[in-house]
């Protein structure tokens, strides 16, 4: 990202603080993907607060959602196109997930997670048919269910 003619490193910018929230496939299967997404947001806020010794007092959320966190919140439809912090959060979440899938690829190389990152591509579905499911597959995912 460029800012005023200089390279602007989103991740290593000391003024930008973020937290990470990860929810396991078991929890996703138990509470559904939407509720798991909300839970991961709460975990990310708690991680942000703990790592930076701060208290979050306002949330801007992408889409039409509210989370069970006792602060004022604003939901913005297509917020990742309109609000820098939502865009940044989306990028951080995607990069974190991709890195996690690359680690899983070392444990389950027969699925080639490093390539498709666990998305429902033809290759991924073919690998599930060939190898069956592994521990990290969501049992509630339609092709597996």
């Amino acid at each position: 990202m460029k800012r005023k003619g200089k390279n602007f490193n989103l991740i290593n910018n000391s003024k930008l603080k973020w937290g990470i929230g990860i929810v396991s496939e078991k929890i996703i299967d138990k509470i559904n993907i939407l509720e798991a997404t909300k839970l991961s947001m709460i975990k990310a806020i708690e991680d942000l607060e703990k790592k930076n010794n701060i208290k979050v007092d306002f949330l801007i959320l992408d889409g039409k959602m509210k989370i069970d966190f006792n602060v004022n919140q604003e939901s913005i439809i297509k917020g990742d196109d309109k609000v820098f912090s939502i865009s940044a959060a989306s990028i951080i979440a995607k990069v974190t997930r991709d890195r996690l899938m690359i680690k899983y690829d070392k444990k389950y190389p027969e699925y080639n997670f490093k390539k498709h990152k666990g998305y429902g591509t033809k290759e991924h579905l073919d690998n599930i048919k060939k190898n069956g499911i592994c521990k990290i597959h969501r049992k509630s995912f339609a092709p597996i269910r």
Side-chain angles (χ1 to χ4, degrees):
M1 177 180 278
K2 287 219 174 209
R3 185 179 191 191
K4 295 184 183 179
K6 296 181 180 179
N7 285 330
F8 180 71
N9 187 328
L10 181 69
I11 301 299
N12 294 322
N13 184 324
S14 63
K15 295 177 184 172
L16 182 67
K17 309 291 184 209
W18 74 92
I20 300 295
I22 297 174
V23 177
S24 74
E25 68 288 339
K26 289 182 183 95
I27 298 296
I28 295 169
D29 284 339
K30 186 174 181 178
I31 65 176
N32 79 47
I33 191 72
L34 176 61
E35 293 305 315
T37 299
K38 292 177 183 180
L39 178 58
S40 71
M41 290 177 182
I42 292 168
K43 288 180 168 212
I45 296 163
E46 291 169 344
D47 182 53
L48 167 70
E49 290 179 332
K50 184 179 176 184
K51 283 192 315 194
N52 297 284
N53 197 27
I54 60 172
K55 197 75 180 148
V56 170
D57 59 4
F58 188 78
L59 298 174
I60 302 171
L61 304 172
D62 190 19
K64 241 184 158 175
M65 87 168 53
K66 297 281 186 198
I67 62 172
D68 189 17
F69 200 80
N70 193 24
V71 297
N72 289 327
Q73 301 173 37
E74 181 177 349
S75 299
I76 300 174
I77 295 172
K78 298 196 183 276
D80 57 342
D81 290 338
K82 300 173 184 173
V83 180
F84 175 80
S85 59
I86 295 175
S87 298
S90 179
I91 292 165
I92 291 167
K94 172 85 169 83
V95 169
T96 299
R97 184 183 186 282
D98 287 353
R99 288 177 178 168
L100 185 60
M101 295 312 295
I102 289 167
K103 287 182 181 179
Y104 282 140
D105 184 75
K106 292 179 178 134
K107 189 170 184 177
Y108 306 104
E110 65 274 21
Y111 295 95
N112 202 18
F113 288 129
K114 70 180 178 239
K115 181 178 178 194
H116 55 70
K117 310 300 187 287
Y119 290 104
T121 63
K122 181 180 181 331
E123 177 186 9
H124 187 185
L125 297 175
D126 288 347
N127 286 337
I128 291 171
K129 284 179 188 171
K130 178 181 173 186
N131 302 302
I133 62 171
C134 69
K135 181 183 169 201
I136 65 166
H137 280 104
R138 291 182 286 132
K139 312 305 182 279
S140 59
F141 180 55
I144 294 171
R145 189 181 41 213

